[in-house]
């Protein structure tokens, strides 16, 4: 069958099970948009307000659904606007295929209008990228792109398609074409023996679980491992939702702003089992002390992560689910009441304040109580993000969309749109700050046009909270450029976009708003909080458990 | 770089395609490793090139480079050669 390049792209998207794409048209992708139009709706294209919003939406869609997200942008500025979104997906191992247009093949390399070398620009932040200079290579390239994005450790793949290639006609084969696959690593029987022996020697096992557990779908195996070993589970931020909040041995997040019990138990443990995590500096602090007095077992699908930041005693390069399945087949129950008792003590030492103030913890807990269950929660980046990951009780995998590795302010609204669409447009909550929301709030127009019931809770403190907290702690309270003084009326702004907007000043007002929401309208709730609310616990950068600050 | 830095060479089999050299040298540049010598030639199979890249680094750097290079989609095989293996 003879098709033009644009038709091949559409056919390939359908073949790879794509039903929703996010994007923004422009000169160099008009042939592709023409085919999307003619195709008549088997692929739902979501038009965002800015390409960055589209990239974050495709990312949020992928995180919530486990499918590969797809974003389309034109050449030049369209392509460069994707860069933050692609870097974000790269650092959090999110499967994403980004399709960009480019100038026609004869115009490439001549600084033509709206030409950039997006393959060169994105090279360090993609799993792989392609420029397709011949329509005959397009079909196989897209097969390869989807394979790379979704296999092994997932990640973003960019495919740059010059306009002339979109128009050129060639044979569409519906065949996979030949491309090599990377070897699939697996756990070796000797590794299982070594792990069993380490677990028998140890008295205080601890599991540190990351995003790889969710990517490989190993939530049940993780829980079984924890139960059999009497091992508490601490999570990286990407690992949150891998195990329900109410599971007795789930201690929550570890790391710089992790829970007290999670951090102390980790430091007291003598066998540390690390599953699908990469020891980010935000998660470890001082690496020497992190590693001290324990046997570390690191299981990860990416061999380059093993020994990169923390050198383990036993290393296993494998898919977490496959490795745990084989390990569990030989692992006996190792009930450990003494360690369980200690974990209970630590949980009781967790610092909790209880009052009815209109503070971040109470706002988050009230939202969870009313919207809870399997609602998808998106966050932006900053103090509000830390409060959400500390206080929200996640029950199901893939219900948290947050920018971990890149820490990209402005991620949240796009991600919430993508997450909401991946979840049949069911109610979705975005917690954001006034700083983060200001970065990409223009996507409110997308949430309105798509009739998405997204609740946007702005924890509005009038400052850039994390810089301010660090300036208070490390820079003598010199609040350089972190006070916003913007006087934005967010409720009025929401209404101008065609959304609903409210201001809440206490918990009863918030409750009333949350109980009376519209089904198809995004709602902004501006919650004024104090500018000196801080995130605790905190282990300062490069510090260890001895440096933990639990309250002001 | 630590005191135990030694000369090491990686032998790579890669796709014979424009841009591949860039991806590989980019990995070295990002981590701040200087390349002391670089040799590239097309192999008996025109779809493959062979590269020899010499650099200096301790065991940690050698292992990291081999593992990071192996991740690249265009890299088909990596062999590490050090003073003790050659």
């Amino acid at each position: 069958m003879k098709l033009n390049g644009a038709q091949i792209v559409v056919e390939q998207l359908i073949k790879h099970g794509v039903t929703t794409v996010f994007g923004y048209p422009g000169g160099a992708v008009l042939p592709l948009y023409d085919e999307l139009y003619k195709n008549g709706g088997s692929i739902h294209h979501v038009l965002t307000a800015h390409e960055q919003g589209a990239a974050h939406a495709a990312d949020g869609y992928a995180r919530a659904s486990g499918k590969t997200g797809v974003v389309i942008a034109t050449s030049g500025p369209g392509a460069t606007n994707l860069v933050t979104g692609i870097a974000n997906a790269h650092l959090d191992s999110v499967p994403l295929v980004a399709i960009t247009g480019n100038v026609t093949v004869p115009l490439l390399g001549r600084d033509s209008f709206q030409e950039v070398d997006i393959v060169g620009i994105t090279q360090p932040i993609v799993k792989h990228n392609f420029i397709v200079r011949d329509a005959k290579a397009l079909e196989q390239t897209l097969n390869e792109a989807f394979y790379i994005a979704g296999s092994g450790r997932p990640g973003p793949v960019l495919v740059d398609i010059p306009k002339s290639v979109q128009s050129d006609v060639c044979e569409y084969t519906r065949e996979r074409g030949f491309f090599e696959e990377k070897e699939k690593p697996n756990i070796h029987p000797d590794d299982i023996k070594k792990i069993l022996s380490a677990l028998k020697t140890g008295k205080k096992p601890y599991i540190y679980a990351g995003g790889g557990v969710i990517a490989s779908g190993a939530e049940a195996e993780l829980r079984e491992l924890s139960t059999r070993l009497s091992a508490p589970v601490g999570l990286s931020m990407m690992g949150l939702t891998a195990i329900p909040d109410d599971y007795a041995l789930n201690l929550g997040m570890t790391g710089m702003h992790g829970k007290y019990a999670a951090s102390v138990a980790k430091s007291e443990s003598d066998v540390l089992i690390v599953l699908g995590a990469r020891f980010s500096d935000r998660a470890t602090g001082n690496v020497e002390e992190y590693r001290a007095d324990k046997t570390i077992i690191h299981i990860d699908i990416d061999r380059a992560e093993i020994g990169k930041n923390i050198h383990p005693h036993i290393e296993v390069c494998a898919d977490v689910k496959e490795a745990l399945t084989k390990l569990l087949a030989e692992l006996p129950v190792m009930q450990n009441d003494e360690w369980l008792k200690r974990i209970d003590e630590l949980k009781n030492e967790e610092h909790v304040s209880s009052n009815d103030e209109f503070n971040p913890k109470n706002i988050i807990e009230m939202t969870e109580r009313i919207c809870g269950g399997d609602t998808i929660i998106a966050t932006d980046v900053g103090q509000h993000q830390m409060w959400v990951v500390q206080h929200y009780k996640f029950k199901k995998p893939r219900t948290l969309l947050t920018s971990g590795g890149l820490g990209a302010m402005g991620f949240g609204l796009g991600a919430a749109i993508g997450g909401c669409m991946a979840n049949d447009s069911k109610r979705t909550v975005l917690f954001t700050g006034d700083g983060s929301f200001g970065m990409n709030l223009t996507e409110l127009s997308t949430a309105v046009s798509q009739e998405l019931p997204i609740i946007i809770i702005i924890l509005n403190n009038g400052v850039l909270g994390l810089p301010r907290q660090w300036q208070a702690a490390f820079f003598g309270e010199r609040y350089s450029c972190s006070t916003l003084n913007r006087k934005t009326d967010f409720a009025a702004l929401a209404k101008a976009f065609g959304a609903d907007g409210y201001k809440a000043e206490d918990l009863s007002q918030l409750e009333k708003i949350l109980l009376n929401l519209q089904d198809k309208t995004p709602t902004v709730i501006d919650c004024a909080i104090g500018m000196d609310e801080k995130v605790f616990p905190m282990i300062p950068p490069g510090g260890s458990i001895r440096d933990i600050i639990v309250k002001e | 770089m630590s005191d135990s830095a030694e000369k090491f060479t990686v032998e790579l089999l890669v796709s014979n395609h424009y841009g591949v050299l860039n991806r590989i040298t980019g990995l070295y540049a990002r981590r701040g490793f200087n390349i002391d010598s670089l040799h590239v030639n097309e192999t008996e199979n025109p779809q493959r090139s062979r590269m020899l890249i010499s650099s200096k680094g301790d065991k940690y750097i050698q292992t990291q480079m081999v593992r990071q290079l192996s991740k690249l989609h265009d890299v088909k095989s990596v062999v590490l050669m050090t003073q003790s293996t050659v």
Side-chain angles (χ1 to χ4, degrees):
Chain A
M1 180 174 36
K2 295 268 187 206
L3 296 180
N4 70 30
Q7 289 169 323
I8 291 175
V9 174
V10 172
E11 288 297 321
Q12 285 291 74
L13 292 177
I14 294 168
K15 180 181 146 191
H16 287 281
V18 176
T19 52
T20 306
V21 299
F22 302 87
Y24 205 102
V29 280
L30 286 178
L32 175 55
Y33 273 81
D34 193 43
E35 288 309 324
L36 285 170
Y37 181 92
K38 289 187 202 156
N39 182 264
S42 62
I43 296 172
H44 178 47
H45 178 279
V46 180
L47 176 63
T48 58
H50 185 288
E51 289 90 350
Q52 187 185 345
H56 291 322
D59 175 320
Y61 182 90
R63 286 179 205 243
S65 66
K67 288 167 63 177
T68 297
V70 177
V71 58
I72 302 172
T74 191
S75 63
T80 55
N81 280 344
L82 295 179
V83 169
T84 302
I86 293 172
N88 192 68
H90 181 61
L91 280 164
D92 287 350
S93 312
V94 176
L96 188 75
V97 169
I99 296 171
T100 50
N102 211 331
V103 299
T104 60
V105 170
L107 286 178
L108 281 170
R110 296 169 187 258
D111 297 323
S112 308
F113 176 65
Q114 292 197 326
E115 182 194 3
V116 294
D117 172 15
I118 195 63
V119 166
I121 289 169
T122 56
Q123 193 175 285
I125 52 163
V126 291
K127 197 169 164 193
H128 193 62
N129 57 19
F130 301 90
I131 176 164
V132 185
R133 288 167 180 267
D134 183 346
K136 286 197 282 295
L138 194 50
E139 182 180 359
Q140 181 182 326
T141 302
L142 286 165
N143 283 337
E144 211 166 345
F146 275 92
Y147 164 75
I148 296 169
S151 62
R153 177 181 179 182
V157 177
L158 180 132
V159 185
D160 194 26
I161 311 174
K163 191 176 186 179
S164 54
V165 172
Q166 296 170 39
S167 310
D168 287 349
V169 173
C170 72
E171 187 67 21
Y172 180 60
T173 67
R174 294 186 184 279
E175 282 163 17
R176 176 181 178 277
F178 176 76
F179 58 87
E180 284 165 85
E181 299 183 9
K182 291 273 175 192
E183 52 119 10
K184 201 160 171 274
N186 213 332
I187 190 165
H188 193 271
D190 289 348
D191 297 329
I192 295 180
K193 278 191 199 119
K194 279 191 248 172
I195 294 172
L196 289 173
S197 139
L199 291 173
K200 275 173 196 149
T201 320
K203 303 231 169 342
K204 291 177 280 185
Y206 183 99
I207 300 168
Y208 172 47
V213 173
I214 299 166
S216 77
E219 294 90 354
E221 289 78 7
L222 165 64
R223 189 165 170 156
E224 179 62 25
L225 180 73
S226 158
T227 310
R228 272 197 222 173
L229 292 176
S230 298
V233 182
L235 301 162
S236 75
M237 194 159 76
M238 295 309 300
L240 285 168
T241 78
I243 199 152
D245 181 84
D246 59 6
Y247 172 62
L249 292 177
N250 178 4
L251 299 184
M253 191 172 79
T254 66
M256 180 178 282
H257 291 301
K259 294 272 193 165
Y260 171 81
S263 297
V264 178
K266 196 238 90 207
S267 74
E268 289 182 6
S269 68
D270 57 10
V271 185
L272 183 62
I273 308 151
V274 185
L275 305 173
R278 63 181 175 89
F279 295 113
S280 145
D281 57 293
R282 282 292 192 271
T284 57
N286 183 315
V287 292
E288 293 309 321
E289 295 199 37
Y290 189 92
R291 208 173 166 269
D293 305 322
K294 54 183 104 285
T295 304
I296 298 179
I297 303 161
H298 192 182
I299 304 178
D300 198 282
I301 191 131
D302 182 354
R303 201 181 296 276
E305 290 302 346
I306 300 174
K308 185 180 82 179
N309 294 335
I310 297 275
H311 191 75
H313 302 84
I314 301 173
E315 60 172 75
V316 178
C317 182
D319 176 83
V320 173
K321 188 183 173 84
E322 286 175 17
L324 287 188
T325 305
K326 289 188 179 164
L327 177 63
L328 286 167
E330 298 186 31
L331 184 74
V333 174
M334 298 163 98
Q335 182 75 18
N336 188 337
D337 292 324
E338 206 173 321
W339 182 225
L340 289 177
K341 192 164 149 264
R342 175 65 185 146
I343 299 304
D344 259 349
E345 279 170 24
L346 288 173
K347 280 174 88 171
N348 290 331
E349 284 172 27
E350 195 83 58
H351 181 79
V352 277
S353 66
S354 192
N355 53 47
D356 59 357
E357 287 169 16
F358 198 54
N359 63 25
K361 176 172 178 283
N362 288 339
I363 293 169
I364 291 163
E365 286 180 351
M366 169 167 283
T367 310
E368 191 232 324
R369 205 164 57 245
I370 296 173
C371 303
D374 53 4
T375 303
I376 289 179
I377 304 298
T379 79
D380 260 303
V381 168
Q383 283 188 316
H384 74 272
Q385 177 189 29
M386 294 300 113
W387 289 318
V388 171
V389 297
Q390 288 178 342
H391 300 305
Y392 199 93
K393 296 177 175 61
F394 294 100
K395 294 183 182 73
K396 276 184 65 181
R398 299 189 178 277
T399 51
L400 170 65
L401 317 176
T402 196
S403 169
L406 191 66
M409 291 171 70
F411 167 75
L413 186 50
I417 290 167
C420 185
M421 301 204 68
N423 194 27
D424 298 328
S425 299
K426 287 186 196 145
R427 182 151 289 150
T428 301
V429 176
L430 166 65
F431 287 102
T432 183
D434 45 330
S436 281
F437 190 57
M439 286 205 172
N440 275 338
L441 59 80
T442 177
E443 294 306 335
L444 210 41
S445 58
T446 312
V448 169
S449 69
Q450 298 295 319
E451 301 185 335
L452 302 177
I454 298 175
I455 308 167
I456 299 160
I457 296 184
I458 305 175
L459 295 176
N460 185 352
N461 56 5
V463 296
L464 300 175
L466 268 187
R468 184 179 172 88
Q469 180 170 338
W470 283 46
Q471 285 166 339
F474 309 122
F475 295 90
E477 299 185 354
R478 292 181 297 280
Y479 299 119
S480 176
C481 302
S482 60
T483 308
L484 294 174
N485 196 26
R486 284 179 179 162
K487 305 181 177 70
T488 309
D489 182 341
F490 285 109
L493 177 110
K495 285 173 196 148
F497 271 98
D500 288 338
Y502 302 94
K503 196 170 171 57
E505 284 168 339
D506 59 42
L507 289 173
S508 67
Q509 283 180 8
L510 176 65
E511 185 174 31
K512 212 172 137 198
I513 298 164
L514 288 174
L515 290 171
N516 290 288
L517 293 165
Q518 303 294 319
D519 278 344
K520 290 192 166 181
T521 313
T523 304
V524 173
I525 309 174
D526 181 8
C527 300
I529 60 163
M531 66 166 67
D532 283 310
E533 291 281 355
K534 293 199 169 57
V535 182
F536 291 117
M538 177 176 183
I539 300 175
S544 73
I545 189 67
R546 287 198 300 275
D547 309 306
I548 194 166
I549 309 163
V550 290
K551 57 179 174 176
E552 217 157 347
Chain B
M1 220 178 295
S2 76
D3 297 340
S4 52
E6 58 164 353
K7 185 173 167 152
F8 72 99
T9 300
V10 287
E11 182 187 357
L12 307 171
L13 209 54
V14 303
S15 308
N16 185 11
H17 201 251
Y18 55 82
V20 175
L21 180 61
N22 233 338
R23 294 178 198 272
I24 288 163
T25 53
L27 268 187
Y28 282 79
R30 219 171 302 151
R31 298 290 288 263
F33 302 153
N34 195 38
I35 291 175
D36 297 333
S37 85
L38 172 68
H39 180 88
V40 189
N41 70 304
E42 193 177 279
T43 65
E44 297 74 7
N45 173 355
Q47 297 193 327
R48 293 277 178 272
S49 295
R50 184 175 288 110
M51 291 189 185
L52 285 169
I53 306 174
S54 296
S55 186
K56 287 190 199 70
D58 59 16
K59 281 267 170 306
Y60 167 77
I61 288 170
Q62 294 170 14
T63 309
Q64 264 297 301
M65 283 319 297
V66 169
R67 290 181 176 188
Q68 297 284 356
L69 287 166
S70 303
K71 269 173 77 169
L72 293 177
H73 187 65
D74 286 320
V75 172
K76 307 304 170 188
S77 74
V78 185
V79 177
L80 172 67
M81 293 177 283
T82 64
Q83 285 163 16
S84 51
T85 59
V86 178

